[in-house]
Amino acid sequence: MPKITFIEDDGTEHTVEAGADASVMQAAMDNLVPGIVAECGGYANCATCHVYIDPAWADKLPAPEEAEDVMIEAAFDVRPTSRLSCQVQVTEDTDGLIVRLPASQTGA
Amino acid sequence: MTTNSTMDIPAHVPEDRVVDFDYLRPAGVDEDLHLAWKNAQDTLPDIFWTPRNGGHWVVTRADAIKAVQLDHKRFSHARLTIGGPAVREGSVVQMDPPRHGPYRMLVSPAFSPKTIAALEPIVRETTISIVEELRPKGECEFVADFAQILPVVVFLGTVDLPPEDRNYLLPLAEKIIRPRDPQEHQESYTALGEYVARALAARAEQPGSDLLSKIVTAKIGGEPIDFEAAVALSMIVMAGGLDTVASILGFVVRFLALNPGHRQQLIDDPSLVPNAVEELIRRHGLVNTARLITQDTEFQGMRLKEGEQILVPNHLYGLDERQVDNPLVVDFTRPHPEQHYAAFGNGPHRCPGSFLAKLELTVFLQEWLARIPDFVIKPGTTPRMASGSVNTVHELHLAWDTDPR
């Protein structure tokens, strides 16, 4: 199963195994990784599963669709490598993916 | 709608799954709306068919509620209220994916956590000013004096409509969401449509930075949005913004009036407030939407037919003991109550306004309890509640001591 490493804002790392059909968000939720809210459940509607893709990986993932692009703008502390993790699909090709988590999904 | 027509029981419905159940008046609703619905969940089959309100299916358990909400292929949004009349073409809430997406994209960012966080000062200021005005009076009718002011004023600000228009809009929303008959629904729906169309036409001429301007000037698939579709989308935003937070505030305050221990817990430890908001939402869900069955299919052991409707009482999700332990108990320290409710729906149509609702409830609890920590349901009065496509509290008289020391 593909591995994903989540790095919290304070540096805490969580390496999890993700189901091949899951999204990166779902992999985090399934493994109780803190720092992702995923209020809308995976429909690019809420911008609370915001992550920063490791620069080495940023170009290897399919580009975001329009709905994700529109919603990323509504997240906190957006950077060039920002993605909504519910829209990033886990595949065999993403084995070893590294994503960093923002300090807060909700500004709280 | 109170068209309690009975009709012939369809042949494919097993006899033991036919229940005379009126979702607008479940038994016991006048005493306690949520207990009345909980009783239905406890005593009726997990899925049944009722001849009331034109005849429809009902599911009562969390697993089925979620499954229906996530399966738009079999359970379409095309007809969203039981027995409701046909509504406008282009209404986003009645679209199924993928048509729904481009419209939804217009609305979601306007209610994102970042956008909502910027509203906190106005929510707090408005809350404090209303509560300060009420405090010396020693009593209020909470629905009219608070619940129908705070969320409505804040919401009208986000769409840049004058706050005094709430006097026109709130009665319309009431008649659309909990109509006494289909005609009242239709007339009010038409009137709201005309109001929204006027506002949108003005913004098409002179767009501002508000949500209605954004909707009317939007492009869908590269083309300017159809005006009727812009009206329909805006009407959904209005219906959501005018009624829902007002409704849940009523249930929350009724609960707090009856439970001094819970009030004191929040006063003693304000850090509990965010989790308390989630728990209060879990325990006091609002929404009874419906789905249109798109094909003959089997679900939960029943044969459902194309064209039938199914009621999805998503407020029952968080009251299902198969989903959450001791569901009737309100426990502000319950871990992750948000995992145990579907109050905002599941799936692509999930309520976009949830962050605003939670902000308003949070600020309300903080500022009201700081100023009016002790209050009761005014002796001699009985709160009036109503079941509908959105459950609500119509009247809730409170009383408190203005000089407790």
Side-chain angles (χ1 to χ4, degrees), chain B residues 307-320:
Chain B
E308 292 177 335
Q309 281 194 291
I310 187 164
L311 182 72
V312 194
N314 73 23
H315 57 97
L316 281 181
Y317 187 100
L319 297 185
D320 186 350

Side-chain angles (χ1 to χ4, degrees), chain B residues 171-192:
Chain B
L172 282 186
E174 176 64 34
K175 290 177 200 163
I176 290 170
I177 294 163
R178 289 168 296 272
R180 282 170 301 184
D181 56 62
Q183 190 190 344
E184 183 174 88
H185 177 97
Q186 196 58 49
E187 286 172 4
S188 309
Y189 195 79
T190 303
L192 180 62

